[in-house]
Amino acid sequence: MPEIVFKGKPLNEAKKVAIMVHGRGATTQSILELSDYLQLEGFALVAPQAPGNTWYPYSFMAPDKNNEPSFSKSLQTIDGIVSDVKSKGFASEQIYFIGFSQGACLSLEYAAQNAQRWGGVIAFTGGLIGEHLNPSKYKGNFEGTPVFIGSSHQDMHVPLSRIEASADQLEKMGAKMKTLIFPDTYHTIRQEELEWVNQNILS
């Protein structure tokens, strides 16, 4: 099991849990720093560290086999955290996913493969994973879970077409979907995204 870093409220005192998933080449510290900008008071924050700082070796749109076995192991890491949190008495609607870039893709993919009423899924620049979108991979119903994707209209890693296709798939599965697409080319998290998420998902 990869290293897991905890921040915020202890699990036995928290009302909600945020599973925070860092991007390629990054660390738990980088994603946990987002807690300075997000309304996560009362949350336990759980951040897994990817082996070698990457969840899978190639693009999220590479042929599926190219990213194995790392991709499946990464999904298992998230699933292990979810199972542990649920075993401590948290319901799925008290569990939130927050990811950036590669971590956003992994968060969306895990949530879609295990769709239920989550607290929220917040993807700062990400889309569903695979060379082609394969709806047969996804099961369950989000039952109105708020799902957010924010990105540049021309991100260097995540094409707008994949974001749009991902949003369509998630909406078909019952997600309350919101995308914010910005007229820049930056691979970053913008103040407008933080504000929207704070007001509409975390408050």
Side-chain angles (χ1 to χ4, degrees), residues 167-188:
D168 287 347
Q169 174 64 35
L170 297 166
E171 206 156 40
K172 285 175 187 165
M173 297 174 69
K176 185 181 177 186
M177 194 69 227
K178 174 67 175 183
T179 56
L180 282 181
I181 306 300
F182 295 86
D184 60 48
T185 57
Y186 305 127
H187 191 67
T188 188

Side-chain angles (χ1 to χ4, degrees), residues 24 64 158 166 180:
R24 185 191 298 273
D64 295 4
V158 183
S166 300
L180 282 181

Side-chain angles (χ1 to χ4, degrees), residues 85-115:
V85 164
K86 285 185 171 181
S87 76
K88 291 178 167 60
F90 289 90
S92 62
E93 58 263 35
Q94 293 172 288
I95 301 172
Y96 294 68
F97 300 92
I98 302 172
F100 172 62
S101 191
Q102 195 183 52
C105 296
L106 190 63
S107 297
L108 289 168
E109 184 71 19
Y110 178 82
Q113 289 194 24
N114 300 273

Side-chain angles (χ1 to χ4, degrees), residues 16-21 40 43 82 91-99 104 107-108 110-112 116-123 142-149 170 175-177 196-197 200-203:
K16 301 172 182 176
V17 177
I19 300 171
M20 303 185 71
V21 191
L40 294 170
F43 279 75
V82 169
S92 62
E93 58 263 35
Q94 293 172 288
I95 301 172
Y96 294 68
F97 300 92
I98 302 172
S107 297
L108 289 168
Y110 178 82
Q116 53 202 280
R117 182 55 168 92
W118 301 109
V121 184
I122 297 165
F142 280 110
E143 298 174 23
T145 297
V147 179
F148 170 85
I149 304 175
L170 297 166
K176 185 181 177 186
M177 194 69 227
W196 192 93
V197 165
N200 296 280
I201 298 183
L202 297 176
S203 60

